[in-house]
Amino acid sequence: MWYKEAFSDRPPSTPEKEYQEAMTNGASAAAAPMKAGLEDVVVSTTEICFIDGHKGRLVYRGYDVDDLVAHSNFEEVVFLLFHGRLPNRKELEANAKTLSSTANRKLPPKLIAMLRQLPRKTTPMEALRTGVSALSAFDPDAADNSHEATLRKSMRLTAQLPTLVAAWERIRRGKAPVAPNPKLSLAANFVYMMSGKKPTELAAKTFDVALILHADHEFNASTFAARVTAATLSDVHSAVVSGIGALKGPLHGGANEQVMLMAQKIKDPAKAEAWIRKAIADKMRIMGFGHRVYRVEDPRAKHLRRLALELGKQAGSTANLEILETVARVVSTEKHIFPNVDLFSGAAYASMGIPTDQFTPIFAMSRVAGWAAHVLEQHGNNRLIRPRGEYTGAIDLKYVPLANR
Ligand code: ACO
C-alpha cells in the first residue's frame, strides 16, 4: 500500500501502533484506542494526492507541485486532477476552452438577482456557500450522478466559482458584476472580474500559481467533508457545499484571513518581534503555522512568499511580508512550528488590493477542483463513510415526567 511505503521510515507512535495491532488482531475499530481528530488514521486509498509530511513534499497524481508551479497552469492541473494524467495539446486546449466558455463561466441572471437580496454584511464565504448551493438548482445535469455528468458539473463549478466570488464583491460594493472574458485564463479573468481592469502579468501569474498550490491536499478537513457527503451518493454540488463549510473555519482555510488580521494588528515591522514573543508567552495560537501532517515548512509556503515579495515590491510596500517573515523566524525557532500555506498567500493578495475576507473564497475557487476530483474517485469505488463514536454519556437513566423535574 502506498501509505505503508510513505510512512515506512517513521516509527509509528504508541497509539498508532496499538491501533494497528488491534486491527491486525481482528479487533473491531471501536475497540482500538481512539486518537482525537482522526490523527494519522488512514480512511481510504487515493490516487489523487500524496503528502510526505517529514520531507515537506506535495504530489498531485505523481507530479511534484514544485514542477507544476514551474511548468504548468491551473487549467492543466484541473485536467490532471480530474483525469489522472497530463493532457496532450488537443486535450489541454479543449479543457481550457470548456473552463473559459461564457456558457460555463456566467451565472444565471436569477442567481445574480438572488445575491442582490442578501444583506450587504453577508461575508464572501457565506455568499459563496449560498451561491454554490443555488447553482445546483440551475444546473442542467443536477439530477444525473453518472461519472460523465459529475465531470461536466465539476468543470462548470470550477468555471463558475470565480464569477460567483467576484460578483459578490461587486454587488456588496454597490457595483454591477463584470461579465467574464472568455479570452482570459481562469486566473486572469478572476482579477479582471474583481476590478474591471485587465490584470498585470505578475498579478495573473500569482493567481495562477496560488490556484495550482491550493488545488488539492489529500484528506484535509474540507476534502474529507466533501467525500463523506459524496459517499452517501449525494451529488457534487452538495459535496462542494460541505467542503466550503469546512474550509471556512479558522483552523483550516479561514486561517489566511486571520493571518492578515494579525499583520494589520502588528502594523509596523519594527514591532513584530516583540508582538510575537508576547503572543507566544501568552500561549496564543498563531495563525498560518502548524499542520496536522507537515513536520517541516509546508512546501507551498515558499512559492507564496516569493510572489508576495514580488507583488509587494511592485505595489511599493513589503511591510506585511516583513512582519510575517519576523513572525515566522520567531515562531519557527521558539516553537518549532513552521509556516503553512496560509501564512503568505494573504500578503500577496493584499498587495493586489483584494479585501481580507476574500482570501478564503479564493482558496475555495482552487480547492473546488480537488473536492470534485475526490467526489469522482469516491463515486468510482464507493462505500458509505460511517465511523463510530465512543459513547461516554449516561445509560439506563429512568425517564422523569416533566412535572417532577
Ligand atoms: N500556534 C501555537 N501553537 C500551536 C499551533 C499554532 N499555530 N499549532 C499547533 N500548536 C501547538 C498546540 O498548542 C499544541 O501544543 P500542546 O501539545 O502543548 O498543547 C500542539 O502544537 C499540537 O497542536 P494541535 O492543535 O493538537 O495540532 P493539530 O494537528 O490538531 O492542529 C492545526 C493542526 C489546526 C493546523 C494547528 O497547527 C493550528 O491551529 N494552526 C493555526 C491555524 C492554521 O494556520 N490553520 C491552517 C492549516 S493549513 C490548512 O488547513 C489549509
Side-chain angles (χ1 to χ4, degrees):
M1 297 301 263
W2 64 268
Y3 61 84
K4 286 202 176 131
E5 281 161 29
F7 294 150
S8 60
D9 58 350
R10 179 175 62 85
S13 60
T14 306
E16 200 182 330
K17 208 164 148 224
E18 285 170 9
Y19 179 87
Q20 282 165 1
E21 278 165 10
M23 295 307 280
T24 318
N25 293 338
S28 75
M34 187 197 69
K35 287 180 92 177
L38 296 178
E39 183 176 347
D40 284 339
V41 172
V42 175
V43 294
S44 172
T45 57
T46 178
E47 293 182 355
I48 301 171
C49 181
F50 168 69
I51 302 171
D52 184 332
H54 293 267
K55 294 195 181 118
R57 195 161 181 230
L58 173 59
V59 172
Y60 298 163
R61 301 278 194 192
Y63 298 94
D64 196 298
V65 82
D66 290 346
D67 282 342
L68 294 172
V69 164
H71 305 295
S72 188
N73 56 47
F74 184 61
E75 282 78 355
E76 184 171 66
V77 167
V78 170
F79 186 98
L80 178 65
L81 292 174
F82 288 0
H83 297 277
R85 60 177 176 82
L86 287 173
N88 62 30
R89 188 178 297 279
K90 214 170 135 196
E91 288 168 331
L92 179 61
E93 281 168 9
N95 200 60
K97 206 169 162 193
T98 308
L99 286 174
S100 65
S101 74
T102 303
N104 282 340
R105 278 184 177 168
K106 75 168 195 281
L107 300 177
K110 282 185 180 163
L111 183 69
I112 303 261
M114 220 186 84
L115 289 177
R116 288 191 204 281
Q117 301 300 313
L118 293 175
R120 288 273 168 93
K121 68 168 181 50
T122 305
T123 66
M125 271 310 260
E126 290 170 321
L128 181 65
R129 193 185 56 208
T130 306
V132 169
S133 185
L135 273 173
S136 141
F138 296 98
D139 198 289
D141 287 313
D144 187 348
N145 256 3
S146 65
H147 179 84
E148 291 68 28
T150 302
L151 200 51
R152 284 196 296 274
K153 289 188 275 189
S154 300
M155 288 293 281
R156 269 198 289 279
L157 276 166
T158 309
Q160 285 162 332
L161 253 66
T163 319
L164 192 50
V165 174
W168 177 244
E169 184 56 37
R170 306 278 301 182
I171 289 170
R172 72 168 170 168
R173 283 199 246 149
K175 294 183 174 174
V178 174
N181 181 341
K183 294 207 174 87
L184 297 176
S185 70
L186 192 137
N189 179 55
F190 171 66
V191 188
Y192 166 67
M193 290 188 298
M194 286 288 270
S195 62
K197 292 184 212 128
K198 289 228 174 106
T200 63
E201 214 169 289
L202 181 58
K205 180 71 193 157
T206 298
F207 265 101
D208 194 55
V209 169
L211 293 174
I212 293 173
L213 291 172
H214 289 85
D216 197 45
H217 212 228
E218 200 222 52
F219 273 60
N220 62 89
S222 57
T223 301
F224 185 51
R227 280 190 85 127
V228 169
T229 300
T232 68
L233 295 185
S234 188
D235 60 285
V236 67
H237 283 83
S238 301
V240 169
V241 172
S242 300
I244 292 172
L247 188 74
K248 182 171 175 284
L251 293 187
H252 189 16
N256 57 11
E257 299 182 19
Q258 300 301 321
V259 167
M260 191 45 56
L261 297 177
M262 173 176 74
Q264 284 161 1
K265 220 181 272 171
I266 298 173
K267 238 189 214 160
D268 179 357
K271 295 191 176 140
E273 177 135 5
W275 191 95
I276 192 63
R277 286 193 184 279
K278 180 167 184 321
I280 292 172
D282 291 346
K283 303 214 173 310
M284 253 177 70
R285 191 157 283 248
I286 320 294
M287 294 296 154
F289 290 88
H291 200 274
R292 178 57 69 74
V293 182
Y294 293 120
R295 293 293 163 253
V296 292
E297 183 173 292
D298 186 323
R300 300 165 293 181
K302 60 180 179 293
H303 297 289
L304 294 161
R305 177 194 268 127
R306 173 176 49 80
L307 290 165
L309 179 65
E310 285 177 36
L311 278 158
K313 280 186 187 160
Q314 195 178 69
S317 170
T318 54
N320 281 332
L321 190 65
E322 286 167 46
I323 290 170
L324 297 178
E325 290 285 20
T326 303
V327 169
R329 174 173 52 77
V330 177
V331 174
S332 305
T333 339
E334 296 297 316
K335 290 204 55 102
H336 303 288
I337 299 173
F338 303 97
N340 60 45
V341 70
D342 288 326
L343 188 68
F344 297 112
S345 57
Y349 304 150
S351 295
M352 289 186 260
I354 304 279
T356 303
D357 59 2
Q358 286 287 12
F359 296 175
T360 316
I362 290 169
F363 191 151
M365 261 165 47
S366 160
R367 186 55 58 85
V368 66
W371 292 329
H374 280 269
V375 170
L376 288 161
E377 186 175 66
Q378 183 66 40
H379 280 175
N381 183 20
N382 192 59
R383 190 162 187 229
L384 180 76
I385 299 172
R386 202 296 189 193
R388 293 296 311 273
E390 188 182 321
Y391 181 66
T392 57
I395 210 154
D396 289 339
L397 294 180
K398 266 232 159 338
Y399 183 78
V400 183
L402 191 56
N404 298 348
R405 278 180 243 156

